Amino acid sequence: MTYPAARPRRLRRTAALRRLSAGVRLSPADLILPMFVREDISVAGGEPQPIVSMPGVVQHTRESLRKAAVEAVSAGVGGLILFGLPAVKDGRGSSADDPEGIVQLALADLVREVGGDIVLLADLCLDEYTDHGHCGLLTADGAVDNDSTLERYASIAVAQATAGVDVVAPSGMMDGQVAAIRAGLDLAGFAETPILAYSAKFASAFYGPFRDAADCAPQFGDRNAYQQDPARRVDEALREVALDIAEGADAVMVKPAGSYLDVVRAVADVADVPVSAYQVSGEYAMIEAAAANGWIDRDRAILESLISIRRAGADQVLTYWATEVAQRLR
Ligand code: PBG
């Protein structure tokens, strides 16, 4: 009878040994909570609206948004990222950079309520604001026009910074967007406002529930001509990251997270700025749906999904479970 000399199980024997040996940790400060704020119900003084495909997530009124932000702060969540649902949409997404636009008003509310206690980010894109649902301006033949869109993005960045945002997060995947936004911010006196670039953002089926949540499904076509192809090798993502950092990105993001952990790892290995990963609406919906059917242990699955994203190398994780998980970790 011979005995194995190497026994990896030794360090797994007790909970205390496992806790001491865990190299990857999750803490509330690493989590960023995505939040939706909707103009028409805010104006009507109505109630927050549940999102059917994302049980537990709502479209907020300005009032309920403030309360939920306070809750996130109490739980120790590191940041929150705001998405706006305007009452009126048009071809150029006018309300995105309107000083009275819903995100700008909500940002000002949050600065008053929780400013300084949590990092306030804003998603910077046009798809929630355009009547056609695309992330940029359209040419006459219906293609998304990269370069004219850049001016819109710079203007939105300035509107958000004026309203008090801490970090702008461009998600439209236009070439040159980080440089354009950096220049716009600098020129307007916001040289200190950081940019978290959605650098490697894939054309993903996992955004399905978000398009209900933010009411931004493209009215024709899809986003395949600007978001990345899931079938491309990781080097394309690394190129996008390198370009964004060269253009002045202060932090970069990979999105979605769960099906792109190889990309997260590759980016984390080379980026000299913080890397975040976005656990998107579909990732949330899948676990909630399986748990609702009793097919999966919800609480364990949530923590496992998040620790995996951290293990792949993400410094921060955007997750709709941020407040709940932060409360559980405390
Ligand atoms: C675009 C944007 C999207 C998401 C975040 N920003 C949707 C898209 O690109 O179609 C998706 C987030 C999620 O699915 O949770 N402004």
Side-chain angles (χ1 to χ4, degrees):
M1 186 72 186
T2 58
Y3 295 95
R7 292 184 183 269
R9 285 181 53 185
R10 283 184 192 121
L11 293 182
R12 297 177 197 149
R13 197 173 48 83
T14 68
L17 276 168
R18 291 191 295 273
R19 186 160 70 104
L20 184 66
S21 308
V24 180
R25 295 182 201 276
L26 206 54
S27 80
D30 304 325
L31 303 177
I32 299 174
L33 174 68
M35 305 180 89
F36 305 101
V37 59
R38 180 167 153 182
E39 183 172 14
D40 56 1
I41 47 169
S42 297
V43 171
E47 294 296 311
Q49 301 295 302
I51 300 161
V52 174
S53 52
M54 300 178 74
V57 180
V58 300
Q59 296 171 340
H60 281 289
T61 64
R62 283 171 65 183
E63 178 77 21
S64 70
L65 182 82
R66 281 190 286 143
K67 288 193 190 130
V70 170
E71 235 186 286
V73 168
S74 314
V77 171
L80 62 83
I81 181 164
L82 209 52
F83 293 88
L85 285 80
V88 180
K89 305 183 185 216
D90 60 19
R92 54 188 299 280
S94 301
S95 49
D97 55 341
D98 182 343
E100 300 293 310
I102 182 65
V103 161
Q104 280 67 255
L105 296 177
L107 277 170
D109 292 342
L110 293 177
V111 169
R112 277 191 297 275
E113 193 83 29
V114 294
D117 298 333
I118 191 167
V119 178
L120 300 176
L121 301 96
D123 184 78
L124 195 172
C125 199
L126 277 170
D127 60 330
E128 295 115 55
Y129 304 92
T130 50
D131 50 13
H132 46 73
H134 278 287
C135 298
L137 301 181
L138 300 183
T139 60
D141 58 3
V144 173
D145 184 36
N146 194 90
D147 297 4
S148 61
T149 299
L150 298 181
E151 292 165 36
R152 297 289 299 126
Y153 286 180
S155 172
I156 299 168
V158 171
Q160 293 176 344
T162 304
V165 83
D166 292 314
V167 179
V168 295
S171 65
M173 291 302 281
M174 296 301 128
D175 291 336
Q177 63 185 16
V178 172
I181 290 166
R182 183 72 273 153
L185 287 170
D186 292 352
L187 197 67
F190 296 107
E192 296 294 329
T193 301
I195 300 173
L196 163 58
Y198 287 67
S199 299
K201 178 174 176 183
F202 290 85
S204 174
F206 294 105
Y207 304 150
F210 177 92
R211 291 177 187 178
D212 297 337
D215 182 28
C216 64
Q219 296 304 299
F220 64 90
D222 52 41
R223 306 205 204 287
N224 296 348
Y226 42 104
Q227 297 180 347
Q228 287 173 244
D229 182 348
R232 283 286 291 270
R233 292 187 190 280
V234 161
D235 52 7
E236 192 200 29
L238 295 179
R239 184 177 185 216
E240 289 278 9
V241 165
L243 285 168
D244 282 356
I245 293 174
E247 289 176 28
D250 300 281
V252 295
M253 192 197 299
V254 175
K255 180 185 173 186
S259 296
Y260 296 85
L261 295 180
D262 57 329
V263 180
V264 173
R265 168 45 61 197
V267 170
D269 283 344
V270 300
D272 53 4
V273 297
V275 176
S276 44
Y278 197 142
Q279 181 180 58
V280 301
S281 56
E283 299 177 69
Y284 176 93
M286 285 192 298
I287 291 180
E288 290 289 354
N293 276 293
W295 296 340
I296 195 173
D297 179 334
R298 177 181 180 277
D299 292 1
R300 283 185 60 202
I302 291 171
L303 285 186
E304 187 176 331
S305 69
L306 292 169
I307 209 80
S308 299
I309 297 166
R310 291 271 293 121
R311 193 183 63 239
D315 299 299
Q316 290 91 30
V317 186
L318 291 83
T319 174
Y320 298 96
W321 288 302
T323 301
E324 174 191 324
V325 167
Q327 284 165 346
R328 261 206 270 159
L329 291 173
R330 284 165 82 90

